[in-house]
Structure formats: C-alpha cells, structure tokens
Amino acid sequence: MPSGPVLVLGAGHAGFQLAASLRQNGFDGRVILAGDEPVLPYQRPPLSKDYLDGKTGLDLLLMRPEAFYRDHKIELLHGMQAEAIDRAAKTVRFATGERVEYGHLVLATGARNRQPPLPGIDLDGVCYLRNLAETDELRARLTAAERIVVIGAGFIGLEFAAVARGKGKQVTIVEMLDRVMARVASPPVSQFFVEAHRKSGVDFIFGAQAVQITGAHGKATGIDLADGRHLDADLVLISIGVVPNTEIAAAAELPAANGVLVDEVLLTADPAVSAIGDCASFPCRHAGGAMTRLESVQNAADHARCVAGRIVGKPHPYTALPWFWSEQGELRLQIAGLTTGFDRTATRGDVESGAFSVFCYRGDELAGIESVNRPADHAQARRILAAGRPVTPEQAADEGFDLRAAATARPG
C-alpha cells in the first residue's frame, strides 16, 4: 500500500476505472482523480456514433453520476491540467499553481489528435473528433454543412462518415494508403467496408495526400491534393490517428518511446509511478512480448484493474487479450487479438451476406479474428485466443466446425 494518496492524472476510461477499482478492491486511502476537462468522466466510444448523431445525451455518456465520487470518497479535480512531476518530492504541479502530493502516481494521460502540418489547418471549419468539446462542435456544424471531406479512413473517420451520410451530407474520404482501416483490419474486411460505405454514397480517394486546406474569409472551403486535384468542402474532419501524451513523463525523466515505457506489471522506471491506457507502451504477451501501445477501452480498463490489484497487494503481470470494435451505421466490426503481421487468412461465413469472420494467422499461429455482424463468433474468438486453443485455417473456414466447443475444450 502506498504511504500517501493515489493520484491519477487523466479522467478518461483508464483513470476512472483505476479509481473505481481501488475502491472495489478495498483500498481505503485517499484517491485523487484529476482530469483536464471541466466535466465528469465520460465514455468516449459513443461520441463518434449515437452522441454525434443526437441519439444520446450527455447524461448517458457519463461513467457515473456525481454522487458516485462522493459516495466512494474519490476526490475529483475538474479542469486541472498537470504541468510537472517532482519525483523526488512526490508532488505534481498543476497549471493553477497548486501542488498535490502522492504516494503512488498513475499516469492515465491518454492521447491527443495527430495534427498534420498543413497550410490552412487553423481555418474555421477544420474539426477533430476525440473529446466531448470537439464532438459538440461537430454536432453543431454538421447541421449546416453540405460538403464534407474526411482526411483518414480509420475507425473514427468511417464512423463519422456513416453518421454524416445518414443526415444526407456529401462525404468524401481521403486516405494515403490503399484501403480503409489498413492499420487494424485485413484486406477482406477493408474491402467489405469500403463497398458498404460506397453503397451508402460515400466517395473514397485512396493513395492521396492532402497538401493544403483552402479557405476564404477565415473559413475552410476545401482541400488541395498532391496530384493537383481540389475538393470543395465546408467542413473538414482530420482523423489521422493520435499521439500519446508523454510530455509530462518525459520531462520527469521517465523513459518514453511511442508511449510511457512500463514493465509487465505496468510500472515505469520509478516504482512510485505507473502508466496505463493509451499513453502506455507495455510488453504485450499477444505481440510476442514486443513493446506495444494500444488504443482501446478494453486495454484502458484492464490496465487499470491490473494496477489497482498491485496497489492493494495483489500484483500480477498484464496478460489481457486485446479486443476492439467499431460501429459504422448498421455494420459492427469486432476484433479479438492483434491481427497485424498476419500472412494467411481464412473466412468463415458468407461475405456477400454481410455477416462473416476472418481468421488471421502468422504462420500456423492464430493471431486474431475479425467478425462482421457475427457477435457469437467474436465471443468464442475471445475465449479461443485468451486460452491459446488451436483452430486451423481449414477448421475456421468450415461452418460445420463447432467454434463454441473449441473455445470450451479442456486442454490436452
């Protein structure tokens, strides 16, 4: 048990879960949760879906109502931007000038939108979609916008495009690579989703690079591409990934490289400091032990539970199976495991029906399973991968093969 308060920097999914898990595990010391946004901790996945679409209000976004923090004696600091860590004195200085002591510090600082060095990036009408304030701005602008250009064909760009097309807006997605979701999905899944979005009216330009956002009277009017083409737009969404917030850790001389570096129990080089969630780079069992930084609610929450257990005297290595999801209109993609670096795939189900799974292999090893509108496959996939149970490509492709039985079979 730490001799002083547990101070958590960051009130997103990881930070909230850490504070809640400490209380669930019986920790009775002070817990201080400091977030730089002026609102209660909230869920981020609905921002690009139901909240953006106006189907969900802020009340349903909140992790818990305000009474939860009071009842569980979690000291919640709103709108508090941490500026510096003094590891020797075990204090954090905030932008207000206030210094807060800690017995154990947990960095849950998350990540921020990657901003390309484009001329015109600061024009009115250039937007992002990661936090509540950005989404509120997009909701307001979406009503008046007619022609929208999205730079980036990842989860967020595609989810936003589905909402915008549902409102009858003209949407063009510009992507430097040759397919959608190239970082996280296999070619068969990418192809299915691009065809589905095209059927809904979304235009795609692949292998293209934006070189300038054009404007008039301070407002964005379109983008110029490297090949000389111009696309008109009254709203431009930048969705090209994120950058981990590691500056405060690096300034405190904590090693960082694409994330704050932690060990198998999520400790930094300082035994009084942990890092979790989007800002942390950890040795991932499911990536062969390679240092890995994941951007998912699952990883954030499981990181938090792991660290909370260690703080209350129940340490264990972090081995949770990564899983992800994306809802794009009526389509639901669920991914279990890490499918990057595969060299072979097997498809289960009928792609044309819009419900199928792709099993991705590295050599003979099953690395991950991508399921489109097949939640039962995803549920079994998580059990199969977490337990390391073998499923051959031939078995995966055979609809007669019982995945559930494979997931629950006794070892040996």
Side-chain angles (χ1 to χ4, degrees), residues 332 334 371-380:
R332 184 174 179 86
Q334 295 170 287
S371 298
V372 179
N373 294 337
R374 294 216 4 168
D377 280 7
H378 177 70
Q380 303 310 331

Side-chain angles (χ1 to χ4, degrees), residues 139-179:
R139 282 178 69 171
R141 290 181 179 275
L142 200 49
T143 301
E146 292 299 330
R147 293 170 298 184
I148 300 169
V149 170
V150 178
I151 300 178
F155 282 174
I156 298 299
L158 295 173
E159 289 169 2
F160 169 78
V163 172
R165 279 302 302 146
K167 297 182 180 298
K169 310 301 180 180
Q170 177 183 318
V171 180
T172 301
I173 298 180
V174 176
E175 170 58 52
M176 288 184 64
L177 301 178
D178 61 357
R179 60 189 180 92

Side-chain angles (χ1 to χ4, degrees), residues 242-331:
V242 298
V243 178
N245 293 322
T246 60
E247 289 78 8
I248 192 170
E253 299 185 345
L254 292 170
N258 185 35
V260 182
L261 299 183
V262 296
D263 63 14
E264 63 178 6
V265 295
L266 308 178
L267 267 176
T268 69
D270 184 333
V273 183
S274 301
I276 60 177
D278 291 7
C279 75
S281 180
F282 66 99
C284 180
R285 167 190 167 187
H286 302 279
M291 297 302 288
T292 303
R293 189 179 65 82
L294 297 177
E295 301 159 15
S296 75
V297 171
Q298 166 274 320
N299 183 67
D302 284 341
H303 267 188
R305 294 185 184 102
C306 180
V307 170
R310 169 164 49 77
I311 289 174
V312 300
K314 301 175 182 177
H316 60 85
Y318 181 74
T319 60
L321 175 75
W323 52 270
F324 316 82
W325 80 93
S326 176
E327 293 175 352
Q328 302 170 27
E330 298 300 316
L331 303 176

